[in-house]
Amino acid sequence: MNTVMIANRGEIARRVIRTARRLGWQTVAIHTDLDAGALHVREADRAVRVGSYLDVDEVVAAARESGASHVHPGYGFLSERAPFARALAESGITLVGPSADVMDAMGRKDAAREIAVTAGVPVVPAYALDDDPATLAYPVLVKAAAGGGGKGMRVVRTAAELPEAMAAAAREAAKAFGDDTLLIEKYVESGRHIEVQVLGDSHGTVLHFFERDCSTQRRHQKVLEEAPAPTLTSDQQAAITTAGVDLARQVGYTGAGTVEFLLDNATGEFYFLEMNTRLQVEHPVTEEVTRIRGERVDLVELQLLVATGEPLGFAQDDVALEGHAIEARVYAEDSFHGFLPQAGRTSIVRWPTTVRVDHALEAEQEVSTSYDPMLGKVVATGPDREAARTALVAALDETAILGITTNTGFLRALADSEEFRDATIDTAWLDRHEVPVPDAGLARVFGAWTEVLLETMSNRAGPGPWQADGWRMGADPAPATVVLGDDLVVVDRARGRVESDGRTRDVRLVSAADHTVHLMVDGVAEHAVLNVQRGFVDVVHRGQRWVWERPDPFADHGPEAGDGTLVAPMPGTVLAVNVAVGQAVVEGETLGVMEAMKMELALKAPFAGTVTEVNAAAGQQVALGATLIVVEAAE
């Protein structure tokens, strides 16, 4: 029996395990201490601990220890490291991928460029590093010859900028790849990123599985990917897929790989960029639309077949396209605040059930910044592009991750945009445009409405609101005010109205169970997933997470930042002011009382002293953080 060790983690490890198990292979997972309880570890037949996924010696030793006949590297980590491939070969273990020599040849952009020229594949016009900067046709792109992912890459628009850009790119490349060699090429202002999925066996057969469009990217990092490419003519498609096969055949490629091209929107010409000698993150869109003699393609199955020395057993004419697929990468990042990586513990995780989802995230899971922030991939299909796009938007509506912030709302807004709908987004579009931040209004309605329902249910003996039988409705309560951050939301269940953001909405409850609430808001069906707790309200609506933290309303509310300034701990109404300016007070004395969220909050003196300011009066409405009383400490 064949045994494959997956030298990776997360969703790609689970993806390989799924296919290997179907084929009857034994599976071995590796894991660090952080991943000891991870999904991919639990799903494999066996698991081996390593100190790092990047340590060649440790990972090869794990393969030997496990008795693996094959190692699947996934993507990232060691997947394109020639020393890893050589070390496995020396141990008599087969890498599910190309040879170390092919990795060496295609892993450097300068060497790969020369191979492309030999194969007759178009390449981007380039300049010599010692050319006079004044003679270059700007803009140009300075990029690292080793590695990828946008590291060591700079767009240069004038001759004066070139020396500094080259120095910065070289420093970044040396740090990232240990190699500061650079290339200078023509920069295409408006282009589309087109990549060809190829696969070769050890018997000389190299085939393509058509192309993908990965133009929707931010700073050279892909965001949405789709297959087939929506803007190619049939002639362009034939030319670019042929070029991909020609390049792979030239280098003697075996296994699955991707040849990447840049299509110039201004001229319609395409140029070779680089080759990824591994499976791509976005391989699911190819699998969803490609058929071999009518059967859906499984690229991992074909990888394992080739790795055992078997011929592919079919020809290019047997490979056909059917439908359209679009993939969205879900990351632990705050897309609307600088795309900053996020970390923490999930509380509720809901993946859509109507589309393909490759993920490794579950409820109550710790998400660390130690690894890539990708949590999963949502892949929607349809008979045509628009059907796939609308299915993706609907699927992202159903995606809810609470406890940490993700980019799901950003992905949903982007997939729903006119620009993506019309396929007008080029590779630099997201660097020039901002996706509008989703409105918090409806999320606020859900948070307030649900809190009032929960409070109503807590005052009754009936089941809670998250039970499968829904709400036990009784007499409608009086209107209630809910504080969410700096906002006051008035919920009038009796009249079916919610006042927030300066507007009034008609709201009717449809159902509520298992943390999911369905409402009719102004006649439109909406739903959200919520986690309402004493100290916070966490809401995901249309993929976007909104969280409002609240102070403990039962705590004493003294000074802010340790001084004598007493501020409003939340928006509310001042019920009483018990002191005047110049009055002496003792520590702990109640200086005033305010009401918020139907509770009275005592404002107590932080220390003995004299009142120097009183900025509130009984009956006054005050905002969160408003300065109410100031006490100067006694000497």
Side-chain angles (χ1 to χ4, degrees), residues 172-512:
E172 190 172 309
K175 181 178 179 180
F177 314 119
D179 186 335
D180 63 359
T181 306
L182 300 177
L183 296 174
I184 304 177
E185 296 178 342
K186 167 189 173 182
Y187 177 67
V188 176
E189 288 281 10
S190 177
R192 301 192 73 84
H193 182 113
I194 310 296
E195 57 187 38
V196 178
Q197 177 68 61
V198 296
L199 195 140
D201 64 20
S202 56
H203 302 272
T205 300
V206 180
L207 305 176
H208 72 76
F209 293 79
F210 294 95
E211 81 289 346
R212 299 183 286 258
D213 188 315
C214 305
S215 302
T216 307
Q217 52 186 254
R218 177 185 171 274
R219 297 183 180 177
H220 309 290
Q221 299 296 315
K222 299 165 187 174
V223 178
L224 299 174
E225 303 109 343
E226 58 186 305
T231 61
L232 291 187
T233 65
S234 56
D235 287 344
Q236 286 175 320
Q237 183 186 58
I240 207 165
T241 52
T242 298
V245 171
D246 288 345
L247 181 67
R249 186 176 288 119
Q250 176 68 37
V251 77
Y253 198 83
T254 57
T258 298
V259 185
E260 300 190 346
F261 297 92
L262 181 63
L263 177 70
D264 189 337
N265 286 333
T267 65
E269 296 177 305
F270 65 88
Y271 308 108
F272 167 71
L273 287 176
E274 62 181 345
M275 185 175 190
N276 295 126
T277 55
R278 53 173 167 79
L279 199 65
Q280 293 277 84
V281 172
E282 58 272 22
H283 76 273
V285 294
T286 292
E287 293 182 325
E288 291 299 312
V289 300
T290 311
R291 304 290 183 267
I292 300 173
R293 299 170 184 157
E295 297 295 325
R296 180 170 293 166
V297 166
D298 183 333
L299 290 172
V300 174
E301 178 178 354
L302 294 176
Q303 283 186 296
L304 295 175
L305 176 79
V306 167
T308 61
E310 293 294 318
L312 286 174
F314 54 90
Q316 189 66 67
D317 289 344
D318 295 319
V319 184
L321 280 172
E322 182 180 304
H324 201 95
I326 309 175
E327 173 181 288
R329 300 186 182 195
V330 178
Y331 281 87
E333 67 179 18
D334 190 345
S335 304
F336 298 109
H337 293 87
F339 293 87
L340 294 175
Q342 302 293 296
R345 190 172 188 83
T346 62
S347 57
I348 299 169
V349 175
R350 301 281 169 79
W351 294 105
T353 58
T354 56
V355 298
R356 173 175 174 174
V357 180
D358 288 9
H359 77 90
L361 185 73
E362 56 188 345
E364 301 300 329
Q365 179 175 326
E366 197 71 31
V367 175
S368 168
T369 56
S370 298
Y371 301 117
D372 186 277
M374 190 172 70
L375 305 174
K377 304 175 300 195
V378 178
V379 187
T381 59
D384 54 42
R385 185 177 188 268
E386 182 58 13
R389 188 189 69 84
T390 55
L392 179 64
V393 172
L396 293 171
D397 279 342
E398 300 297 323
T399 304
I401 300 172
L402 286 75
I404 62 170
T405 296
T406 73
N407 68 336
T408 310
F410 171 82
L411 295 171
R412 195 266 185 203
L414 183 59
D416 197 41
S417 68
E418 293 182 3
E419 292 82 0
F420 187 76
R421 180 198 65 195
D422 298 337
T424 58
I425 294 179
D426 61 23
T427 55
W429 190 89
L430 276 175
D431 296 329
R432 302 190 306 264
H433 299 82
E434 290 188 357
V435 175
V437 180
D439 182 17
L442 283 174
R444 202 174 285 116
V445 167
F446 271 97
W449 186 271
T450 303
E451 183 165 321
V452 171
L453 288 172
L454 284 170
E455 183 177 347
T456 301
M457 295 306 300
S458 69
N459 294 329
R460 302 178 184 176
W466 307 122
Q467 301 299 320
D469 60 348
W471 303 97
R472 304 269 187 198
M473 305 303 290
D476 288 318
T481 299
V482 177
V483 180
L484 295 177
D486 295 336
D487 300 292
L488 292 173
V489 185
V490 179
V491 178
D492 188 344
R493 280 182 51 204
R495 301 172 65 187
R497 295 172 57 180
V498 175
E499 296 179 16
S500 176
D501 306 316
R503 60 180 292 187
T504 300
R505 295 176 169 92
D506 292 325
V507 180
R508 295 289 185 273
L509 176 67
V510 177
S511 66

Side-chain angles (χ1 to χ4, degrees), residues 536-550:
F536 65 88
V537 176
D538 201 350
V539 182
V540 170
H541 174 253
R542 295 182 182 173
Q544 182 65 29
R545 179 185 182 228
W546 305 93
V547 58
W548 292 282
E549 295 184 358
R550 299 180 299 197

